[in-house]
Amino acid sequence: MEGNVQLECVQGDITQQGDLDAVVNAANAELRTGDGVAGAIHRAAGPELEQACRPMAPIKPGEAVISPAFGLPNKKIIHCLGPVYNIDKPSDELLARCFQNALWLADKARLASVGFPAISTGAFGYPLEEAADVTADAVHSVLSDLNHVTLVRMVLFSGNDLQVFRKAFRMT
Ligand code: AR6
């Protein structure tokens, strides 16, 4: 618990978080399906998701947009474009903005709970430890702005990723 917000790090699949109001997509600029998180989310949500996202694309690194969740068991999907490590610069600021913008957007939409994957740490090549530190700082930096969000869950795909994020969030 940090103020009114509960922070969690769990191992799991971002498409299987049925108790959360919103999950975050590690999107591409075009908001199309892809590999990794984007592929899993679009497959689970169905083809309506790409259609709904088309008018909002393209987005820039650090930006976040919100859509319905369609076949996913959540109310909303928040799509963030993370930085490609050391190509989109400053990568740390752009990664931080993803988490901040997603949480502000969720709060504005009066959502109570949000789940994030480890944005940029797959295809976009962000080193895990660095990304975890930036993520933890970014999440903490906006907690006092939140009026509706009361649960932020980091959903890590592997046991190793979970340990690294737990350490960054000082949960060990
Ligand atoms: N649930 C939770 N985490 C996952 C899942 C899942 N189902 N699948 C993968 N991860 P990535 P990025 C982890 O590549 O680096 C896409 O093709 C994965 O192990 O999905 O931001 C898009 O189209 C890694 O730790 O996102 C973009 O072009 C983390 O989620 C590009 O990749 C992020 O991996 C975005 O790259």
Side-chain angles (χ1 to χ4, degrees), residues 10-17 24-43 80-85 95 116-126 128 154-158 161 165:
V10 303
Q11 186 177 355
D13 184 326
I14 196 73
T15 65
Q16 308 282 321
Q17 307 299 315
V24 173
N25 182 16
N28 49 67
E30 301 304 326
L31 304 176
R32 312 273 306 248
T33 189
D35 297 323
V37 170
I41 283 188
H42 278 269
R43 270 194 306 278
C80 288
L81 178 61
V84 179
Y85 185 66
L95 184 62
F116 286 93
I119 297 171
S120 283
T121 67
F124 285 177
Y126 215 116
L128 197 68
M154 293 300 309
V155 181
L156 292 319
F157 217 27
S158 75
D161 294 3
F165 271 73

Side-chain angles (χ1 to χ4, degrees), residues 150-166:
T150 54
L151 171 62
V152 177
R153 178 183 297 160
M154 293 300 309
V155 181
L156 292 319
F157 217 27
S158 75
N160 178 62
D161 294 3
L162 174 65
Q163 292 318 315
V164 171
F165 271 73
R166 287 188 65 85

Side-chain angles (χ1 to χ4, degrees), residues 61-63 81-83 88-101 126 134 138:
E63 287 183 350
L81 178 61
D88 298 315
K89 294 184 197 175
S91 294
D92 55 349
E93 270 178 39
L94 294 170
L95 184 62
R97 263 183 237 160
C98 284
F99 288 90
Q100 293 163 336
N101 283 328
Y126 215 116
V134 171

Side-chain angles (χ1 to χ4, degrees), residues 39-167:
I41 283 188
H42 278 269
R43 270 194 306 278
E48 283 169 301
L49 180 60
E50 261 196 8
Q51 262 179 1
C53 285
R54 201 164 297 149
M56 297 187 284
I59 62 169
K60 297 196 191 81
E63 287 183 350
V65 294
I66 192 165
S67 77
F70 301 106
L72 270 182
N74 313 97
K75 290 183 189 157
K76 299 284 183 184
I77 301 170
I78 297 172
H79 307 261
C80 288
L81 178 61
V84 179
Y85 185 66
N86 266 348
I87 302 277
D88 298 315
K89 294 184 197 175
S91 294
D92 55 349
E93 270 178 39
L94 294 170
L95 184 62
R97 263 183 237 160
C98 284
F99 288 90
Q100 293 163 336
N101 283 328
L103 286 170
W104 286 326
L105 208 49
D107 206 62
K108 209 168 131 199
R110 299 175 169 264
L111 301 170
S113 49
V114 187
F116 286 93
I119 297 171
S120 283
T121 67
F124 285 177
Y126 215 116
L128 197 68
E129 276 83 2
E130 275 181 54
D133 287 342
V134 171
T135 298
D137 285 350
V139 169
H140 279 108
S141 74
V142 294
L143 290 181
S144 60
D145 302 341
L146 303 176
N147 296 309
H148 300 281
V149 174
T150 54
L151 171 62
V152 177
R153 178 183 297 160
M154 293 300 309
V155 181
L156 292 319
F157 217 27
S158 75
N160 178 62
D161 294 3
L162 174 65
Q163 292 318 315
V164 171
F165 271 73
R166 287 188 65 85
K167 189 163 170 242

